[in-house]
Amino acid sequence: MVVSDQHTETADAGEGVGPTPGAGVAQDGSLALGGGVVADDGVRPAPVVGQPDASTRTPALELRKVSKRFGVAWAVRDVSFCIYPGEAMALLGDNGAGKSTVVKMISGALSPTSGELYVTGKKVRFSSSQAARRAGIATVYQDLGLVPTMSVWRNFFLGAELRTKGRLDVRRMRWEAEESLKEIGLRNLRSVDQNVMRMSGGEQQALSIGRAVHFEQKVLLLDEPTAALSVKETEKVFEYIGRAKARGVAVLVIMHNTAQALRCAEKVVVMRHGRVISERRVEGDTSALMEAVNGDISGVGESLQ
Amino acid sequence: MANSPAGMGGLETVAPGKGSRNGRSPGGAGSFRDRTFTSYISLRTLAVTGVIIAVILILEGTSGGRLLQGVNVGGVLDASSEIGFIAIGVTILMIGGEFDLSVGQSFVASGMTFATIYHTVGVVPAIVVGLATGAAIGFVNGFITLSFGIPSFITTLGTSYVVAGMVLLVTGAAPISAISLPASFHMFGGYVFGLPVRWEVVWWIGLVVVMGLVLHKTAFGNHVFAAGGKPEVAKNIGVRVVRTKMTLFVLCGMFAAFSGIVLFAHLGDIEASAGSGLQLEAIAAAVIGGTALFGGVGTVYGGAIGSLFLGVLTVGLVLSGASTTYYELFVGIVLIGAVALQAKVEGLGNFTKRMTERLRIQRAFSGSEALSREELYGGE
Ligand SMILES: Nc1ncnc2c1ncn2[C@@H]1O[C@H](COP(=O)(O)OP(=O)(O)OP(=O)(O)O)[C@@H](O)[C@H]1O
Ligand SMILES: [Mg+2]
């Protein structure tokens, strides 16, 4: 895939910027309304060791003019963005903006009406969520990712059980699950034999994220992972996401809270009425950025039309 | 989670070889206890075992000390194994989230098929045909349930009437008796080396152990628990839920068939009414042994212990000279106790929630893949 093919569609033609990647977007350019920043050479925070320069890297995930229609209504219209390995992108927007629909199209739960999806440069078309999973897309569902009646380690390896001579290698699975969960930051779990039913929401997120990292998934999708969590647990989830990024996973996270989004993501994309209306890099003055992003979400910018 | 196990070894933090660095290894004592034992036999199963021991002691008293005499222990085990074979299949099917109310009819149809043909085709081919009869009924149950999305307790209620009707049509309600009892029948009905225990009990225990290993120690078993615990998650993760459930339906029919064949080999005759009520007894055995009504939880050993309870009760009450009415009374009380315990453990709210959820999922699983997917993920 050629990076320079890519362009960002913005909601209103007047704001259409369509930046040229690799052109070295000015650092303050990211604060301008609608100033889509796609390339990130030289300004990317939290670099992944050993990663080549952004201009030569392939995004882990790229969407090009993806749309979804339900009946006569377009829930998502011409959405384009890309996420690089080790980077997190937050998708923000008001209720009904189309965020979940975007995530469901990436996870294979819905198929786009039009547009293209690329995973590490390869064009993909998912017929099911299993197909997406096979292509390296891990989705953390609030209640569709874990079997509550099964133990932590059984959930961890469900569908990818380790076997020796046809029998489950229980020891190795329990051990690997425990090590992986520690690695992702879940340290005070009582036992991997515990039922998922008895875990807190944050611990369940850790299990899902840890599993994605362990199985070397390329893209991690989270739809409002912190919506039902306490402040303390939210912090932990940020830690898990940080560790997943450190392992080179590209993260797409839907959030309602702008402040939280700015804390865990390198890039913030705002949607309104199914379209991407702004894309900003998280850097510089956070409070100004927050104001701008909140303006996009609430549609203040539209009054300028 | 599609990477092969070999691919995972690439992660340095999880490679077993690295364990020694932290002074830990997969085999070594970790920060958690090896709870292998309790992951097989839940605390509830242990509680039920306690209840059974209490019942044994009471019945030992009321029967004037005859229940624990060798020959009667053998009788208890005989009675337990007859329902026990069926309970194995019913238990694993229930763990997978489905019911089979036609096991009594699979039992009769297969036993009668075996009884009709063994002296012409030979015992072993007759066993194969008998088992195939049960498998066919199980297949029909699974096919209808899974392709139309009908709750399995309705499907199998229907097939139980159909099969019962067919059996009556073919046999004209006449019992079938053995013309001769071939020596090979001893492999089920004969005594084990002069002990008061029949070979069928050995078969039962053997099958319980084998199916216990299949359920708890194989990937298939893992998928059974996932399919019963939360099918939409299992499906999403890549478990072949429909195929797994289909296998369970077929196995359940075959275990019922096996019981029918063993009964005929043991008694030498079988009649159309021999299977009535067995479906409820098998479910009772499974539930008493800790199998959840809505799937995802249970053990084969629990089902065996539940069967043993029914066996103890049957023989103990006969020896005590009590009317069979007491049997139903006791089973009813213990069954309600077991389910009440289950609701208590799960929380009553959760219990009703899972009941409604089960019906929703059942509907979602019918029809095309695409339809169920939209229904499962479409609305938030
Ligand atoms: N399965 C569906 N059928 C019809 N319309 C749908 C479906 N799913 C979503 N929509 C519509 O598409 C639009 C976008 O929904 P979506 O769930 O993507 O929004 P969202 O940004 O995730 O909102 P929220 O913040 O409330 O989660 C909404 O108008 C919604 O009603
Ligand atoms: Mg949403």
Side-chain angles (χ1 to χ4, degrees), chain A residues 96 98-101 223-224 254 256, chain B residues 380:
Chain A
K99 309 177 295 291
S100 296
T101 307
D223 192 346
E224 303 192 28
I254 294 183
H256 258 137
Chain B
E380 271 180 323

Side-chain angles (χ1 to χ4, degrees), chain A residues 100 104 127 129 133 141 143-144 154 161 168 174-175 178-180 182-183 211 214-215 247, chain B residues 1-3 8 11 13-14 24 31-32 216-217 222-223 230 232 235-237 373 377-378 380:
Chain A
S100 296
K104 284 173 187 170
S127 54
S129 21
R133 189 176 291 274
Y141 295 101
D143 63 345
L144 275 180
R154 281 186 190 269
E161 292 86 358
L168 291 178
R174 295 169 81 248
W175 188 80
E178 199 193 9
E179 289 301 304
S180 281
K182 276 188 192 157
E183 181 74 9
R211 185 168 64 175
H214 181 90
F215 288 94
R247 299 294 291 263
Chain B
M1 306 300 131
N3 281 23
M8 301 164 203
L11 281 176
T13 46
V14 294
R24 310 210 19 234
S31 59
F32 46 80
H216 302 289
K217 289 286 185 183
N222 223 27
H223 298 170
K230 209 156 188 194
E232 69 275 41
K235 185 166 175 265
N236 183 40
I237 277 174
R373 217 174 52 227
Y377 306 112
E380 271 180 323

Side-chain angles (χ1 to χ4, degrees), chain B residues 41-126:
Chain B
I41 299 181
S42 63
L43 286 177
R44 255 178 72 203
T45 311
L46 290 176
V48 170
T49 312
V51 171
I52 294 179
I53 292 171
V55 170
I56 289 176
L57 292 177
I58 292 167
L59 291 172
E60 173 72 356
T62 55
S63 67
R66 288 188 296 154
L67 180 62
L68 293 181
Q69 284 169 2
V71 62
N72 291 327
V73 170
V76 165
L77 291 173
D78 283 351
S80 305
S81 69
E82 185 193 329
I83 194 68
F85 290 123
I86 304 174
I88 295 173
V90 167
T91 301
I92 56 177
L93 183 64
M94 282 178 71
I95 294 171
E98 303 290 345
F99 287 99
D100 187 350
L101 297 180
S102 69
V103 285
Q105 274 57 50
S106 297
F107 169 94
V108 166
S110 307
M112 287 196 149
T113 304
F114 172 75
T116 312
I117 63 173
Y118 77 93
H119 49 85
T120 46
V121 302
V123 172
V124 173

Side-chain angles (χ1 to χ4, degrees), chain B residues 271-315:
Chain B
E271 57 182 339
S273 64
S276 63
L278 284 182
Q279 67 280 14
L280 296 181
E281 287 199 46
I283 291 172
V287 171
I288 289 169
T291 307
L293 280 179
F294 306 119
V297 177
T299 62
V300 175
Y301 310 105
I305 287 173
S307 307
L308 193 61
F309 171 75
L310 298 182
V312 166
L313 212 53
T314 309
V315 176

